[in-house]
Amino acid sequence: MNARMYAVTPAVEAAWRELLGHITREAGVELSYHSYPAPQPLEQLWSRPDLGAVFMCGFPIALKLAPVIPIAAPIPSAAWAGGRAVYRSDLIVRRDAPYLRLEDTFGGRAGWTVRHSQSGFNAFRHHLLAYRSALRPTLYGDMTGNLVTARNVLDGVREGRIDIGPLDAYWHTLIARHAAELTADIRVLAPTALAPMPAFVAAAGAPAPMVAQLRAAFTGAAARPWFGAFGEYLLLQGFAAASGSSYATLLDWDREAKAAGYESPA
């Protein structure tokens, strides 16, 4: 098990670990929690043959970056989620920046995380695509790639190294709740379109009965008496079943950008 993608603080990771313990006991499946802090590459974690319940972004699931079986995805307690297992990217700027519209940042400095990230790359590129034209194929004066983590995007904006960057909106709500001092000086200039939420996945070779038991335990968790405190702390309404087909639309975004010659946000 691992929840690094949304382990925004050590205390939050401890809560995820405890929640996963409840879910796996409910499922009758014995799994151990494997700590895997940044900057270790998530690609290596996702490729392990012993995955039982590990967070994985939807874009690499769709790209088949690693052989996995999606189990269930969180339903964030956020108005923009509307009770569904979806999220978006918040395009953030400094609170004191003069920008009123996204277009005001064009010509400035932006950044992205990794090419296989939905929230930190694919969603950002998809959103920017509508603003490009033959006369303006490049929107930013400087684009910093491979920032790797959402925290690096956040710090890059806070510290003035980039003017704008994409943050996973669920990650953003968690860090704002549990480390508010880190978000006090930033604001959301624009949100991207909603996309399927990252899921807990198992390795492709995991026994089918184990996957089914885990999926049932995740999707039934919100009704269990132990869930309430975790739901409040982790800003969760519950979990929805996930499958590989859940993420097919993300490949459409990728194909659309590449067909337009927009390989990377720029």
Side-chain angles (χ1 to χ4, degrees), residues 35-56:
S35 182
Y36 195 81
Q40 296 179 85
L42 283 169
E43 303 93 310
Q44 292 184 15
L45 174 67
W46 296 333
S47 297
R48 288 177 60 128
D50 59 350
L51 295 191
V54 170
F55 262 131
M56 186 172 181

Side-chain angles (χ1 to χ4, degrees), residues 70-161:
I71 301 171
I75 302 171
S77 294
W80 43 258
R84 296 171 293 159
V86 296
Y87 76 143
R88 67 188 191 189
S89 293
D90 290 339
L91 305 184
I92 62 163
V93 297
R94 282 185 57 88
R95 189 169 298 279
D96 59 3
Y99 315 123
L100 300 179
R101 305 173 306 153
L102 181 62
E103 296 96 309
D104 297 335
T105 68
F106 295 165
R109 302 162 299 166
W112 48 266
T113 55
V114 289
R115 288 184 177 275
H116 61 64
S117 171
Q118 170 59 24
S119 62
F121 180 87
N122 197 35
F124 189 31
R125 179 180 56 170
H126 179 260
H127 192 82
L128 293 176
L129 189 58
Y131 295 89
R132 292 178 73 243
S133 67
L135 296 178
R136 189 175 61 183
T138 299
L139 302 176
Y140 288 95
D142 181 68
M143 182 66 73
T144 301
N146 297 307
L147 293 173
V148 182
T149 66
R151 177 60 191 269
N152 285 341
V153 171
L154 175 59
D155 288 345
V157 171
R158 290 174 61 230
E159 296 165 10
R161 293 190 298 276

Side-chain angles (χ1 to χ4, degrees), residues 56-65 68 70 244 246-251:
M56 186 172 181
C57 177
F59 192 34
I61 291 174
L63 291 169
K64 301 186 186 304
L65 196 64
V68 299
S246 305
Y247 302 96
T249 185
L250 306 184
L251 295 180

Side-chain angles (χ1 to χ4, degrees), residues 138-244:
T138 299
L139 302 176
Y140 288 95
D142 181 68
M143 182 66 73
T144 301
N146 297 307
L147 293 173
V148 182
T149 66
R151 177 60 191 269
N152 285 341
V153 171
L154 175 59
D155 288 345
V157 171
R158 290 174 61 230
E159 296 165 10
R161 293 190 298 276
I162 57 176
D163 301 312
I164 186 169
L167 274 192
D168 175 319
Y170 178 53
W171 190 95
H172 188 187
T173 61
L174 283 173
I175 198 77
R177 170 77 174 270
H178 297 288
E181 70 280 2
L182 298 178
T183 59
D185 294 331
I186 63 107
R187 59 185 168 91
V188 178
L189 186 63
T192 67
L194 293 169
M197 188 75 184
F200 280 102
V201 303
M210 183 190 90
V211 173
Q213 289 162 226
L214 285 169
R215 185 173 288 122
F218 270 106
T219 57
R224 307 303 295 162
W226 42 259
F227 181 81
F230 294 105
E232 181 179 350
Y233 191 78
L234 295 172
L235 303 172
L236 278 177
Q237 289 188 15
F239 297 90
S243 66

